[in-house]
Structures are given as C-alpha cells and as structure tokens.
Amino acid sequence: MLMKSIVTGLAGTALLATVAFAQTPPATTDKAAPAATATTTSAHDQWRISKMSGVKVYNEANENIGSINDLLMDKSGNVKIAVIGVGGFLGMGEHLVAVPYEKLKFVNEPVAYSGTAATNPPGRPASTTTTGAATGTDRPAATATTSSSSKWYPDHAVFNASKDELKNMPEFKYSE
C-alpha cells in the first residue's frame, strides 16, 4: 500500500512538472531598453590598468630610470599621461614627473643584458635575458618559459631620457 501511494505521488509530480515546462512565457510589450551586453568575452591582447602601476621604465640604453606610478586619462577613457616615479627609496624622496603616454614604448620581452648574472637586477636571473634590442611586439618570445600576455601587463616600458633628465623635469603634483 505504501509503495502504491509513493508511485502515485511521483507520477502526479512528474505530470505537474511537464505542464509547467510546456507553458510559454508571456510576450512582453514594454519598450524597455535591452540589457547591456559585454563588448568582448576575451581580452588576450589588453593590459589591466591596475597592473600597470610599478612597471619599470628603462631608457634606450637599458638603464632603469624609474617606474610607472599612475596613468591619467581624459573623460573619454583614453590614457594621456603616465606619471613616472624617479629616484627615491621605497617611495621616499621619489620625484614624480608626467610624460605623454604615447611617448612610452611598451615591451613584453625582458630587458637585454650583455653582462653576467651578477650584473642583472634583482629578480632577473641570467636565463631569462634576451639577445638583441628589445622590440615593441605584442607577443613574447617563443622561447620564454612564461607568457607575458598571461600577466596582464607588459614587462617594461622604454622612454627616451636619462634618469637625470627626468629628475630635472618639473615635479608633477596632483591638484586638489
């Protein structure tokens, strides 16, 4: 008897469920704007602004001249200025300068060093150096062990100035 009532209950539930699924939703006639949609589902060739802070800046002689502290954009969302921190130690005594963003050349490959591992900067073992001049390509070298496109930021930027030239530029200050 108990088994008969369980089977009857399950059959009734299945019947009600199929009726509910068979119903079509009512057509909407309101003129509401369609929901916002994403413009892209993949961003493999783009960089995150939040990851750009701290990217090292080198000159064309591969000398470290500072790092990116901030990026400033106009009201339409185009990045116009890169604020570079020059000198200082752990943020103390750092001289901030504003340079036009389009004057920076971003590079995914590590800086080419011609010396031994002892001359490489900290955190850059000799095995990750490249040969030849750094290029502005969007793809990392095929022999690299880690893909820089997966980092969401470039390896470094190149700006045609010396550290002294940047220190002699007017200091950038955020207006209140």
Side-chain angles (χ1 to χ4, degrees), residues 123-141:
R124 280 234 206 263
S127 62
T128 62
T129 59
T130 59
T131 57
T135 62
T137 60
D138 289 336
R139 298 281 180 213

Side-chain angles (χ1 to χ4, degrees), residues 18-19 23 37 39 49 51 57 63 66 68 71 84 97 117 125-126 136 140 144 159 162 172:
T18 55
V19 171
Q23 292 180 353
T37 59
T39 58
I49 294 293
K51 297 288 185 179
V57 180
E63 298 168 335
I68 295 175
L71 296 174
I84 298 176
V97 295
F159 185 70
S162 70
F172 174 79

Side-chain angles (χ1 to χ4, degrees), residues 11-169:
T13 304
L15 263 171
L16 290 174
T18 55
V19 171
F21 284 120
Q23 292 180 353
T24 58
T28 58
T29 58
D30 57 306
K31 303 289 184 191
T37 59
T39 58
T40 181
T41 58
S42 175
H44 65 279
D45 286 338
Q46 298 175 9
W47 296 322
R48 292 176 58 186
I49 294 293
S50 62
K51 297 288 185 179
M52 297 294 282
S53 180
V55 168
K56 299 279 187 220
V57 180
Y58 293 84
N59 62 15
E60 292 178 353
N62 288 340
E63 298 168 335
N64 185 347
I65 58 175
S67 63
I68 295 175
N69 280 25
D70 208 350
L71 296 174
L72 306 177
M73 66 177 80
D74 61 14
K75 291 180 181 179
S76 64
N78 298 316
V79 177
K80 296 294 185 180
I81 296 173
V83 179
I84 298 176
V86 183
F89 181 71
L90 298 174
M92 301 295 289
E94 191 172 52
H95 181 76
L96 298 179
V97 295
V99 299
Y101 183 76
E102 67 269 3
K103 298 289 183 183
L104 291 173
K105 181 176 81 172
F106 292 99
V107 181
N108 283 335
E109 291 83 18
V111 175
Y113 292 99
S114 59
T116 62
T119 62
N120 288 340
R124 280 234 206 263
S127 62
T128 62
T129 59
T130 59
T131 57
T135 62
T137 60
D138 289 336
R139 298 281 180 213
T143 59
T145 56
T146 60
S147 172
S148 60
S149 63
S150 66
K151 295 187 312 185
W152 290 93
Y153 59 93
D155 182 75
H156 67 279
V158 177
F159 185 70
N160 190 16
S162 70
K163 188 178 273 193
D164 289 334
E165 289 173 329
L166 287 177
K167 284 183 178 179
N168 290 331
M169 288 177 68

